[in-house]
Amino acid sequence: PNHGPKPELICEHCQNSFEQHSALEYHKKRYHQEKIPCPDCGEMQFITYMNTHMDLYHKICEPKTCDYCGKSFTNLVKFKGHIRTHAGVKKSKHKILEEFDKNCFCNMVFESQKAKLEHYKLVHLDYKLCEKCRKVVKNPNPDAHNCAPVVHKQRTGPFICKFCDAVFRTNGAVFYHE
C-alpha cells in the first residue's frame, strides 16, 4: 500500500536528491566528509581515512636497510619508495616490443601484448617472476619492487567490516558502517 508521498531527501551540500535515507548518508560520507590536517605531515585527509594514512606513511616498523646504498628506514612505504629510486629509468613497453621484433625468434603466438612482453622479459632479458605478486620484475625480492599480492575487488556479498567483522549484504552498507 502507498502511504502517501515520501519527503524528498536532499543533500544540503550539493542539492542532489535521494529516495532512501541510507543512500543520502552514504553519499554525504563519500563526497562531503570533513578533512582534517595530519598531525605529522599536515596533509589534509578525510577523518575516516586518517588512521590508514597514519599507518601507511607514519607508522614505525623494524628498520629496513637498502641493499644498494645502506640507507636505513623505519617506515615501509618510504623504504619501498626509496628502493624504486635505484631502479633507474624503466624501458617503455614500446622499446621492449621493438627489441622483441628484432631479437626473439621463438616462433610463438601470444594471446596478448602483455603475454608477449612477459615472455620476452622472462626468456630473453633475464627478468624473474615474483612469487608473491606474480609480476615480472628484474628483482623478485618483494622489498625491491612495488610488491602487493593480487587482490580482486569483492563484488558479491557477504561484505565484512575490516574492523569488527560485522556482516552486510551490500558494499555500500559496510562502507557506511565503517
Side-chain angles (χ1 to χ4, degrees):
N2 188 347
H3 296 288
K6 292 181 185 174
E8 192 174 17
L9 301 169
I10 297 176
C11 173
E12 64 269 19
H13 302 285
C14 66
Q15 312 315 307
N16 281 349
S17 64
F18 299 87
E19 290 183 16
Q20 296 179 334
H21 182 71
S22 60
L24 172 61
E25 291 306 313
Y26 173 82
H27 165 82
K28 288 196 297 193
K29 184 175 179 180
R30 176 77 173 88
Y31 297 103
H32 304 297
Q33 192 179 105
E34 182 185 352
K35 284 186 173 184
I36 58 172
C38 169
D40 285 5
C41 68
E43 189 175 316
M44 298 299 284
Q45 299 292 338
F46 286 121
I47 292 173
T48 55
Y49 181 73
M50 187 59 75
N51 287 340
T52 303
H53 169 80
M54 294 297 288
D55 281 350
L56 283 174
Y57 296 100
H58 306 298
K59 186 177 183 179
I60 304 298
C61 69
E62 286 290 316
K64 296 214 175 257
T65 304
C66 175
D67 292 335
Y68 299 100
C69 69
K71 196 169 181 182
S72 189
F73 294 84
T74 55
N75 177 276
L76 201 55
V77 170
K78 290 177 183 172
F79 173 69
K80 287 184 176 186
H82 169 79
I83 292 294
R84 285 193 293 275
T85 66
H86 292 293
V89 179
K90 286 170 56 172
K91 283 186 183 177
S92 73
K93 73 177 178 183
H94 302 294
K95 278 258 193 260
I96 294 174
L97 286 169
E98 280 178 22
E99 287 181 21
F100 175 93
D101 292 335
K102 290 178 192 168
N103 303 323
C104 181
F105 303 103
C106 293
N107 224 7
M108 295 173 65
V109 176
F110 300 96
E111 62 185 43
S112 67
Q113 189 178 68
K114 182 181 178 188
K116 188 178 191 179
L117 283 165
E118 288 181 349
H119 161 81
Y120 188 68
K121 287 178 176 181
L122 288 166
V123 175
H124 302 282
L125 299 179
D126 202 33
Y127 279 58
K128 305 284 186 263
L129 186 66
C130 174
E131 295 298 324
K132 185 176 178 186
C133 66
R134 312 298 299 159
K135 290 179 186 171
V136 175
V137 293
K138 286 184 180 178
N139 184 346
N141 177 345
D143 291 333
H145 64 277
N146 193 8
C147 184
V150 178
V151 177
H152 298 286
K153 189 173 179 186
Q154 184 179 356
R155 299 197 188 283
T156 58
F159 295 89
I160 300 167
C161 173
K162 61 186 169 213
F163 303 108
C164 70
D165 294 329
V167 179
F168 298 88
R169 284 188 312 113
T170 67
N171 194 28
V174 76
F175 179 85
Y176 177 68
H177 163 80
E178 289 175 349

